[in-house]
Amino acid sequence: MQIDPRGPRFGALITMVVFAVVLVTGSAWLLAVQALFFAIGTFLGLPRTPYGLVYRWLVRPRLGPPGELESAMPPRFAQGVGLVISIVGVIGYAAGVTALGVTAAVLGLIAAFLNGVFGLCLGCEMYLLIRRVWPGRVARAAADKEVSL
């Protein structure tokens, strides 16, 4: 599946604000809502997240079509990374280990900032690195087939 690369950046800008509010308020509930949004993006796909819906209905029509599309898999993996970070943060805040909650929120804020402002998706880069180091069976089978010819 191919997606408009501007959508995840838009979502990252909103996520950046959410993480900043979590840091200011210490709200485990707001972080839990963000974790839910990450879970939707991870398991159902980015276009189905609330931020993806806002982008598709309100923002994209004003921007016009994208110059190019990108694979949805790296941003979807990044949503999973965000989900893990958010869950750790919720556990930290809810258990009274504020330092853990703050650390997770700061990590999420940094990642969202880099993606939203500079277009550098850390989770996407992790996905690509993992794919290079640990290619899937299909890629390995195709490479073996080419070598044997």
Side-chain angles (χ1 to χ4, degrees):
M1 178 176 171
Q2 300 286 308
I3 61 169
D4 181 346
R6 301 171 296 181
R9 284 187 75 178
F10 173 77
L13 290 171
I14 297 172
T15 301
M16 180 178 67
V17 172
V18 170
F19 276 119
V21 171
V22 166
L23 284 169
V24 170
T25 64
S27 173
W29 290 107
L30 181 58
L31 192 53
V33 170
Q34 182 60 53
L36 174 64
F37 291 175
F38 280 138
I40 293 169
T42 301
F43 298 111
L44 300 178
L46 280 87
R48 292 185 176 95
T49 64
Y51 305 153
L53 294 171
V54 169
Y55 176 77
R56 185 173 41 181
W57 293 334
L58 299 178
V59 178
R60 186 173 177 183
R62 288 169 177 72
L63 297 177
E68 61 184 28
L69 298 175
E70 71 178 14
S71 171
M73 289 309 297
R76 199 164 176 173
F77 179 83
Q79 292 285 301
V81 173
L83 174 60
V84 171
I85 289 171
S86 297
I87 289 172
V88 168
V90 168
I91 291 169
Y93 280 119
V97 186
T98 307
L100 180 62
V102 168
T103 301
V106 166
L107 290 174
L109 176 64
I110 291 169
F113 175 79
L114 289 173
N115 190 5
V117 175
F118 298 111
L120 175 61
C121 174
L122 296 179
C124 301
E125 294 300 323
M126 286 173 56
Y127 175 85
L128 296 173
L129 179 64
I130 290 167
R131 294 295 298 177
R132 277 188 219 114
V133 172
W134 208 358
R137 291 183 196 175
V138 174
R140 234 180 288 145
D144 290 344
K145 191 174 187 178
E146 286 178 16
V147 171
S148 66
L149 295 176

